Amino acid sequence: MILERLLMENLNEWETIVDNLSCRNNELLVPTVNDTTTLHDFNVNLANFFSEVNFYFAKARRNKDAITRLIKNVLRDNYRGQNDLARRAAGIQLAQRYPVPEAVLPFQQNDHIDLFDLEDVFNGHYYILESIIQTLHVKSGAKITNNSLLNLERSLLEA
């Protein structure tokens, strides 16, 4: 069951991972010295870091998509009510106090969970990791520009 899998995620561990990756991203700077050694080292570090971030990004996207689908299904199901607005309100109320599956109860403090709060947590992980990936693409582009400048400088010196 999707909710069981989501509730078994260690959210404290996720926060640590996302914070760690964010700090490491900020520390990974495009080299200001343009030589083959610094650019090569940067390229290797960038590729390795990108692979690691992309792994967690895929997991975060899976979680984000799963909670989005679960909420959509809860809100879309036909609940009792005199009209569409009343049925939608009932769906929102259910999503705010959604019953926790029995298999997960020993690991939870409550027998219900607010799916919107859970969605916020998983969306947060996803969007931070997405932002890191975007900045890694920018850093990669800057590295390519620096490499081109190095090649241009080398060709001018040889001429």
Side-chain angles (χ1 to χ4, degrees), residues 72-88:
K72 181 180 176 184
N73 289 336
V74 167
L75 297 178
R76 185 182 60 198
D77 285 346
N78 294 321
Y79 293 98
R80 295 179 187 203
Q82 297 175 344
N83 55 41
D84 287 339
L85 190 58
R87 286 187 288 278
R88 179 157 171 78

Side-chain angles (χ1 to χ4, degrees), residues 66-112:
I67 191 67
T68 299
R69 279 191 316 274
L70 179 60
I71 290 173
K72 181 180 176 184
N73 289 336
V74 167
L75 297 178
R76 185 182 60 198
D77 285 346
N78 294 321
Y79 293 98
R80 295 179 187 203
Q82 297 175 344
N83 55 41
D84 287 339
L85 190 58
R87 286 187 288 278
R88 179 157 171 78
I92 290 170
Q93 289 173 354
L94 176 60
Q96 290 173 327
R97 291 190 51 85
Y98 200 80
V100 170
E102 285 188 36
V104 184
L105 277 176
F107 307 102
Q108 293 292 314
Q109 295 176 353
N110 297 316
D111 61 349
H112 62 276

Side-chain angles (χ1 to χ4, degrees), residues 26-99:
N26 290 336
E27 292 167 358
L28 182 64
L29 302 175
V30 177
T32 56
V33 176
N34 294 322
D35 62 41
T36 53
T37 302
T38 58
L39 289 175
H40 174 73
D41 290 345
F42 177 74
N43 195 40
V44 169
N45 291 334
L46 182 69
N48 290 337
F49 186 56
F50 180 80
S51 296
E52 183 180 356
V53 171
N54 207 39
F55 169 77
Y56 288 111
F57 179 67
K59 290 179 73 172
R61 182 173 182 165
R62 180 182 184 212
N63 291 341
K64 176 192 172 299
D65 290 349
I67 191 67
T68 299
R69 279 191 316 274
L70 179 60
I71 290 173
K72 181 180 176 184
N73 289 336
V74 167
L75 297 178
R76 185 182 60 198
D77 285 346
N78 294 321
Y79 293 98
R80 295 179 187 203
Q82 297 175 344
N83 55 41
D84 287 339
L85 190 58
R87 286 187 288 278
R88 179 157 171 78
I92 290 170
Q93 289 173 354
L94 176 60
Q96 290 173 327
R97 291 190 51 85
Y98 200 80

Side-chain angles (χ1 to χ4, degrees), residues 2 83 153:
I2 292 172
N83 55 41
E153 180 181 301

Side-chain angles (χ1 to χ4, degrees), residues 114-133:
D114 187 328
L115 295 180
F116 299 118
D117 288 345
L118 195 58
E119 179 185 40
D120 182 62
V121 170
F122 288 126
N123 283 348
H125 300 153
Y126 173 83
Y127 289 120
I128 290 170
L129 293 172
E130 181 182 50
S131 174
I132 292 172
I133 287 177

